[in-house]
Amino acid sequence: MTDRPLTLMAVHAHPDDEATGTGGVLARYAAEGIRTVLVTCTDGGCGDGPGGVKPGDPGHDSAAVALMRRQELEASCDVLKVSDLEMLDYADSGMMGWPSNDAPDSFWQTPVQEGAARLAELMRHYRPDVVVTYDENGFYGHPDHIQAHRITMAALEMTALAPKVYWTTMPRSGMQRFGEIMREFHEDMPEPDPAEAAAMAEIGLPDDEISTWVDTTAFSGQKFDALAAHASQGENIFFLKMGKERFGELMGMETFVRVQDATGAAVPENDLFAGLR
């Protein structure tokens, strides 16, 4: 036994990702006395600027956007009671296919071993019992999410640590419900073309392939407020349009796939720390 607190480390790509995919578990486990460490890999500079100005448009200043988004990220962490925030500060790569993918200082262009070495140092410092990041497709194909996955898995190989490791996911049943609610809020939303619909159908996993279902309903208000802290990106955060009550109904369960475990805890499980306490 040790006096070191149980520790959760979440590795995310951009400011606001922490709230979308893991805001519930960060808030829940902080409330349970677990140390919560958030590693944000990029500066978010490819996000919207003041007034909604888009990357590539006149007046978009990626450095100013990055500063604004750091302040929003710190506010989100305050809401979620995150114990420790670490920023790797790589340049945001933008969406797949954007010219910013090719910028030499972008996260996407960073050698995996370089990013992994920096993350491994943080892992050795914090010694997480649970590590959460994205799957190999970054959940939906964003280059920075894919890179976050790559450096996380490489960093784990560089350390002598053996935490439980999880990838974020969504149940296909939940994705279907999400689509219905989007149409409810956007009645004029056109039907996606067949290729787009097929791609959407592949996001997430069949319900029976999900190992871990964590009920965070009691913390959905904090999760909503954490998302709202990223006000500059509000146009892109659909969830904020539905209000707290509907948000809690849709986003009160966070789901994961367990990919590394030395505890032998049975699955499906309802706690990332099953077998550790």
Side-chain angles (χ1 to χ4, degrees):
M1 298 295 290
T2 175
D3 291 333
R4 183 180 64 82
L6 285 171
T7 300
L8 165 66
M9 176 180 282
V11 183
H12 281 292
H14 312 99
D16 77 26
D17 290 333
E18 81 291 337
T20 305
T22 55
V25 292
L26 287 169
R28 170 178 163 167
Y29 290 123
E32 294 178 7
I34 289 171
R35 187 178 198 177
T36 52
V37 180
L38 171 63
V39 180
T40 301
C41 296
T42 80
D43 60 11
C46 285
D48 290 356
V53 63
K54 305 295 183 185
D57 287 349
H60 187 277
D61 181 343
S62 60
V65 171
L67 176 60
M68 175 177 61
R69 296 197 71 185
R70 182 185 183 103
Q71 294 168 344
E72 292 175 341
L73 177 60
E74 291 171 350
S76 171
C77 287
D78 285 345
V79 170
L80 298 173
K81 309 301 182 187
V82 169
S83 308
D84 300 271
L85 170 62
E86 298 283 354
M87 295 195 71
L88 300 186
D89 271 331
Y90 289 109
D92 190 341
S93 309
M95 299 296 285
M96 189 67 81
W98 286 13
S100 49
N101 294 174
D102 300 322
D105 62 341
S106 72
F107 189 37
W108 187 235
Q109 293 298 323
T110 299
V112 169
Q113 293 303 302
E114 176 190 319
R118 293 181 62 195
L119 182 56
E121 282 301 304
L122 293 175
M123 288 180 174
R124 294 185 189 104
H125 174 72
Y126 289 107
R127 302 185 65 81
D129 301 281
V130 172
V131 173
V132 175
T133 192
Y134 315 100
D135 63 19
E136 56 268 85
N137 190 47
F139 184 60
Y140 69 98
H142 193 295
D144 287 331
H145 290 224
I146 294 170
Q147 190 76 330
H149 163 86
R150 290 173 177 170
I151 73 163
T152 301
M153 303 313 291
L156 287 163
E157 292 183 3
M158 292 178 178
T159 73
L161 305 173
K164 296 179 79 177
V165 180
Y166 294 88
W167 297 342
T168 58
T169 191
M170 280 279 287
R172 295 265 169 86
S173 60
M175 291 298 295
Q176 180 179 354
R177 177 67 178 140
F178 176 62
E180 292 169 356
I181 291 177
M182 282 193 70
R183 283 188 289 275
E184 177 185 331
F185 278 82
H186 298 280
E187 295 179 358
D188 57 347
M189 188 172 70
E191 289 293 325
D193 65 51
E196 184 180 337
M200 285 292 293
E202 292 302 312
I203 293 178
L205 289 172
D207 292 28
D208 61 1
E209 293 182 19
I210 293 173
S211 65
T212 311
W213 303 70
V214 184
D215 185 353
T216 61
T217 305
F219 303 92
S220 60
Q222 275 176 266
K223 182 172 177 174
F224 184 94
D225 289 343
L227 275 170
H230 297 280
S232 70
Q233 309 307 304
E235 181 182 329
N236 303 316
I237 303 175
F238 161 78
F239 305 106
L240 296 177
K241 297 179 174 70
M242 63 179 67
K244 277 190 178 180
E245 184 175 348
R246 295 295 302 278
F247 179 86
E249 293 171 6
L250 182 66
M251 304 293 286
M253 184 74 71
E254 292 184 349
T255 50
F256 307 86
V257 174
R258 193 174 81 189
V259 295
Q260 179 176 303
D261 171 62
T263 69
V267 293
E269 60 187 0
N270 60 10
D271 180 8
L272 297 178
F273 288 86
L276 293 170
R277 54 180 177 172

